[in-house]
C-alpha cells in the first residue's frame, strides 16, 4: 500500500500565509507601495563597493569578519557590544527562523501582538509553537497594549516577540515601554525577541540595542533590507548575550551571508549612511495621507518617521487593495495579517515625487 506523503504533510501543517508570495506584481503603470523597503533605494556607496569588489573572494567560503566588526563599530557610541555578541544572518527572516528553532520545544508558547509580522507567526506554528496573540487595544487605531502583553507572559512562555516598529502598522514602542516588557521577561528567564527590521528609520539612541547590555534575556534582530534598501543582498544580524550566541552558532549555517553582502554591509555601516534622513519626507507624506483619508478610511497608530502604515476602510465588505489597484496603486492586503481583513491594507509610502499619485488615489476612493 503506497503512502500519500503530500496528504500527510498537508494534514500536519496549517494553512501557511505569506504576503511575500501573495502580493501581486506591479507593472510599469503601477505605483508599488507594497514592498516594505526604503522608497529611496540604497545608498550610493553600494554602487562603488560592487564595482570595486574582488570577485576572487567568491571562490572561497565566506569567512571574512568585516561585517561583524562594522556592526560593533556602528553601535560603539550607543551600547557596549563585542564581536562575540553578534551573529550575521541572511536577512532578519533567517534570523527569526533560527531563533524559533532554538526556542521551539514541546508545548512551547510565544506571546506577541496581533497583527504582526506574518512570517514569524506562521513559522512559529510550523515548528509547533502555540502563538498567543495579544490584540491591539482599539479596533480603530490598533494601538499596542503593553499592559495586556506583560500580563500574558508567565513561566510557560518560551519567548516573546515584538516587531518594533510594528509590521504592518509602523507604530513604535519607546525604550521605556520595551523595558517594562523586557524586565518581566528577565524576571521569568524568558527571552524577548525585538525585531527591529524597520528601526533604521529611527535614531539609534531610540533602539532596543541600547537596552541589551542591561538585560541578559533580550535579543535584537536587525536587517539591511528596509532602511538600507538591500532586500536582495539578504543581510542581517542578531545581537544578544555571548552564551546564546555560542548556542545559535552551533545550530546555524556557518556560512550565512555571502562575501559580497558582507563587503556591502560593512561599507554602508563604516560610511555611517543614515536612513533616518528620509524621516522628514515620510512625516510629510503620512500627514497628507491622513488628511486625504477623510472619514471612510482610518490610519492606524503609527510613527510618522516609519514608511509603512495600516489603512482600514470602515466598510468591512470593501476590498481596499482592489480599490487601490483600480487607481494603479499596489499595496499589501490586510487579509495577509491575522486577524485583519480585506478592508485593510499595509501601505509603504512612496517618495515625495510620487506622493501626489497616492494622495489622489485615496481621495478618489473616499469620494466615490
Amino acid at each position: 500500500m503506497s503512502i500519500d506523503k503530500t496528504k500527510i504533510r498537508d494534514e500536519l501543517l496549517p494553512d501557511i500565509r505569506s504576503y511575500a508570495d501573495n502580493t501581486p506584481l506591479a507593472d510599469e503603470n503601477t505605483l508599488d507601495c507594497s514592498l516594505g523597503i526604503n522608497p529611496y533605494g540604497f545608498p550610493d556607496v553600494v554602487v562603488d563597493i560592487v564595482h570595486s569588489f574582488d570577485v576572487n573572494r567568491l571562490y572561497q567560503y565566506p569567512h571574512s569578519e568585516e561585517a561583524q566588526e562594522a556592526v560593533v563599530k556602528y553601535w560603539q557610541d550607543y551600547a557596549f557590544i563585542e564581536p562575540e555578541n553578534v551573529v550575521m544572518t541572511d536577512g532578519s527572516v533567517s534570523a527569526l527562523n533560527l531563533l524559533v528553532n532554538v526556542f521551539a520545544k514541546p508545548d512551547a508558547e510565544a506571546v506577541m501582538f496581533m497583527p504582526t509580522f506574518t512570517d514569524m507567526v506562521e513559522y512559529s506554528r510550523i515548528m509547533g509553537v502555540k502563538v498567543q496573540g495579544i490584540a491591539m487595544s482599539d479596533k480603530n487605531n490598533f494601538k499596542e497594549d503593553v499592559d495586556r502583553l506583560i500580563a500574558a507572559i508567565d513561566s510557560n512562555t518560551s519567548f516573546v516577540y515584538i516587531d518594533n516598529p510594528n509590521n504592518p502598522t509602523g507604530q513604535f514602542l519607546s525604550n521605556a515601554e520595551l523595558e517594562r516588557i523586557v524586565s518581566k521577561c528577565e524576571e521569568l528567564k524568558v527571552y524577548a525577541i525585538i525585531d527591529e527590521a524597520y528601526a533604521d528609520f529611527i535614531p539609534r539612541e531610540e533602539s532596543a540595542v541600547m537596552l541589551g547590555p542591561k538585560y541578559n534575556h533580550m535579543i535584537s534582530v536587525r536587517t539591511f533590507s528596509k532602511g538600507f534598501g538591500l532586500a536582495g543582498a539578504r543581510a542581517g544580524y542578531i545581537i544578544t548575550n555571548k552564551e546564546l550566541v555560542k548556542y545559535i552558532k552551533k545550530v546555524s549555517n556557518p556560512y550565512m551571508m555571502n562575501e559580497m553582502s558582507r563587503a556591502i554591509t560593512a561599507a554602508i555601516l563604516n560610511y555611517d549612511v543614515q536612513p533616518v534622513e528620509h524621516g522628514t519626507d515620510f512625516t510629510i507624506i503620512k500627514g497628507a495621507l491622513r488628511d486625504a483619508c477623510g472619514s471612510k478610511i482610518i490610519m492606524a497608530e503609527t510613527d510618522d518617521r516609519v514608511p509603512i502604515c495600516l489603512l482600514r476602510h470602515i466598510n468591512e465588505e470593501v476590498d481596499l487593495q482592489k480599490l487601490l489597484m483600480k487607481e494603479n496603486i499596489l499595496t499589501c492586503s490586510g487579509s495577509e495579517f491575522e486577524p485583519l481583513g480585506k478592508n485593510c491594507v499595509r501601505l509603504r509610502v512612496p517618495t515625495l515625487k510620487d506622493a501626489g499619485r497616492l494622495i489622489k488615489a485615496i481621495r478618489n476612493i473616499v469620494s466615490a
Side-chain angles (χ1 to χ4, degrees), residues 216-248:
N216 198 49
H217 287 77
M218 198 195 85
I219 305 168
S220 296
V221 176
R222 309 275 300 196
T223 182
F224 293 88
S225 297
K226 312 302 184 186
F228 291 108
L230 289 172
R234 308 314 307 138
Y237 56 94
I238 297 168
I239 298 177
T240 190
N241 72 74
K242 295 178 183 180
E243 290 305 311
L244 183 58
V245 165
K246 289 180 183 178
Y247 185 80
I248 291 172

Side-chain angles (χ1 to χ4, degrees), residues 70-131:
V71 167
V72 173
K73 182 180 178 182
Y74 183 74
W75 289 103
Q76 67 183 0
D77 293 333
Y78 300 87
F80 179 71
I81 297 170
E82 296 179 280
E84 295 79 13
N85 295 115
V86 181
V87 180
M88 304 308 296
T89 64
D90 296 330
S92 58
V93 171
S94 176
L96 295 174
N97 287 354
L98 183 58
L99 290 169
V100 172
N101 289 346
V102 169
F103 295 122
K105 58 184 179 181
D107 301 319
E109 182 174 295
V111 175
M112 58 188 74
F113 289 117
M114 289 286 196
T116 195
F117 179 44
T118 300
D119 287 39
M120 182 61 169
V121 176
E122 301 296 2
Y123 190 72
S124 296
R125 288 173 174 160
I126 288 174
M127 295 303 294
V129 177
K130 179 184 177 182
V131 174

Side-chain angles (χ1 to χ4, degrees), residues 342-355:
K342 64 182 181 180
N343 63 318
C344 298
V345 296
R346 188 198 68 183
L347 181 145
R348 192 235 44 223
V349 299
T351 62
L352 272 178
K353 177 175 67 70
D354 293 324

Side-chain angles (χ1 to χ4, degrees), residues 13 33 83 95 160 226 243 290:
L13 296 180
C33 294
V160 175
K226 312 302 184 186
E243 290 305 311
R290 193 178 284 111

Side-chain angles (χ1 to χ4, degrees), residues 110-118 120-122 125 130-138 142-145 148-149 161 163 166-169 171 310 337-340:
V111 175
M112 58 188 74
F113 289 117
M114 289 286 196
T116 195
F117 179 44
T118 300
M120 182 61 169
V121 176
E122 301 296 2
R125 288 173 174 160
K130 179 184 177 182
V131 174
Q132 183 178 357
I134 307 301
M136 304 299 193
S137 61
D138 187 299
F142 296 98
K143 184 173 176 58
E144 293 175 329
D145 192 330
R148 288 189 61 204
L149 184 108
Y161 171 74
D163 51 349
N166 174 268
N167 181 8
T169 67
Q171 65 185 291
L310 177 70
F337 295 88
E338 186 180 340
L340 305 180

Side-chain angles (χ1 to χ4, degrees), residues 151-162:
I153 304 169
D154 58 31
S155 58
N156 294 320
T157 304
S158 297
F159 64 89
V160 175
Y161 171 74
I162 301 171

